[in-house]
């Protein structure tokens, strides 16, 4: 990628030891320091060759799909998909509002947002992105 000079700065320093140099590059598009710990990074969470082989074998024998199904059934504990969704939103402290038909208790409208998204909206009120989908999986 080509970034204009206003976004990229370089700084070279000669170190006191030997004849070593350090080059510091700060880019306005990617401007945070390297992570100290890789916990949570996709690189650290990648599967080893052995784990990948095991996953392929479990997929071929349907073992993994059966285990996932049993886990999902246990997690729902008799609740409908909508009850499960509303429970997860509440548990994860999402802001949620819904409207339903009184005669059937069918949800007709649902809005939810992560608290961080609302903080960003308050900070940048002129920029709003919404995903309004209908009958999608």
């Amino acid at each position: 990628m080509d970034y204009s000079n206003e976004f990229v700065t370089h700084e070279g320093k000669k170190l006191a030891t030997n004849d070593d140099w350090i080059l510091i590059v700060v880019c306005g598009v990617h401007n945070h320091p390297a992570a100290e710990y890789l916990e949570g990074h996709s690189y650290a969470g990648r599967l080893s060759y052995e784990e990948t082989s095991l996953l392929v074998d479990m997929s071929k024998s349907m073992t993994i799909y059966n285990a996932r199904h049993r886990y999902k059934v246990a997690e729902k504990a008799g609740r409908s998909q909508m009850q499960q969704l509303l429970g997860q939103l509440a548990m994860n402290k999402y802001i949620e509002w819904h409207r339903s038909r009184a005669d059937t208790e069918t949800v007709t409208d649902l809005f939810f947002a992560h608290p961080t998204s609302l903080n960003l909206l308050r900070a940048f009120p002129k920029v709003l992105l919404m995903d309004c989908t209908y009958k999608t999986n």
Side-chain angles (χ1 to χ4, degrees):
M1 293 184 166
D2 181 31
Y3 302 108
S4 65
N5 287 338
E6 66 185 85
F7 292 115
V8 179
T9 60
H10 303 84
E11 181 182 348
K13 291 183 181 178
K14 186 173 183 335
L15 300 177
T17 58
N18 299 327
D19 198 21
D20 296 332
W21 283 78
I22 186 169
L23 178 65
I24 300 169
V25 179
V26 178
C27 174
V29 176
H30 192 87
N31 62 357
H32 58 82
E36 242 182 271
Y37 306 102
L38 291 179
E39 181 179 328
H41 286 256
S42 61
Y43 181 79
R46 72 192 185 287
L47 298 177
S48 68
Y49 177 77
E50 293 80 14
E51 290 169 330
T52 303
S53 285
L54 179 62
L55 183 61
V56 168
D57 291 343
M58 291 173 71
S59 295
K60 285 180 182 177
S61 69
M62 299 296 287
T63 304
I64 197 161
Y65 301 106
N66 294 336
R68 287 182 66 202
H69 176 70
R70 282 191 300 275
Y71 170 74
K72 286 181 180 182
V73 168
E75 185 181 47
K76 282 177 55 174
R79 294 185 299 261
S80 70
Q81 288 180 338
M82 185 55 70
Q83 290 170 328
Q84 181 70 10
L85 172 63
L86 294 175
Q88 289 292 317
L89 291 173
M91 184 176 72
N92 291 295
K93 297 184 177 22
Y94 275 67
I95 286 76
E96 176 270 328
W97 173 87
H98 69 276
R99 186 168 42 188
S100 57
R101 290 182 53 171
D103 56 339
T104 63
E105 293 190 17
T106 303
V107 173
T108 57
D109 303 294
L110 172 66
F111 171 83
F112 60 90
H114 192 274
T116 302
S117 297
L118 291 179
N119 290 338
L120 287 170
L121 179 61
R122 286 184 193 100
F124 306 102
K126 301 212 188 256
V127 178
L128 180 63
L129 220 58
M130 291 184 74
D131 182 7
C132 300
T133 54
Y134 177 70
K135 288 192 176 181
T136 59
N137 292 333

